[in-house]
Amino acid sequence: MEIAVKYFGIIADITHKKEESFFIDDKSSTLKSLQLKIEMKYPKILVINYSIAVNKKFLQNDILLKNQDIIAFLPPFAGG
């Protein structure tokens, strides 16, 4: 399955990408396993408090990923 991952703000600066695709063979792959894979690939994001949205929805729990999901890694929001 193909998963699109989008990076915003400082996370895009760290990854040097705004978006990339991950091809996952395991149909039982979870959001947490993808998050760990990305953190291993870009360890500098571990020092940032970030949020993750799946298909434009913030989630509190781990989920099974589906083909064509869009995952967004979002930096802390500044209010004002």
Side-chain angles (χ1 to χ4, degrees):
M1 71 180 138
E2 183 178 4
I3 305 295
V5 179
K6 297 184 177 195
Y7 306 108
F8 295 89
I10 192 167
I11 299 171
D13 294 341
I14 290 169
T15 63
H16 301 286
K17 297 177 181 181
K18 291 188 177 198
E19 185 173 342
E20 69 181 314
S21 293
F22 284 84
F23 296 92
I24 301 170
D25 291 332
D26 185 4
K27 297 226 186 266
S28 63
S29 188
T30 64
L31 178 61
K32 187 66 175 175
S33 65
L34 177 65
Q35 178 183 5
L36 292 173
K37 186 181 294 191
I38 290 170
E39 288 174 349
M40 288 178 61
K41 187 173 181 179
Y42 306 109
K44 289 183 180 180
I45 70 169
L46 289 169
V47 298
I48 299 169
N49 261 341
Y50 63 87
S51 300
I52 299 175
V54 178
N55 302 322
K56 299 183 180 180
K57 294 180 182 174
F58 290 101
L59 301 175
Q60 299 295 325
N61 300 314
D62 200 12
I63 61 161
L64 285 175
L65 297 174
K66 299 183 304 290
N67 190 39
Q68 303 297 312
D69 275 345
I70 299 172
I71 314 299
F73 277 69
L74 304 155
F77 297 103

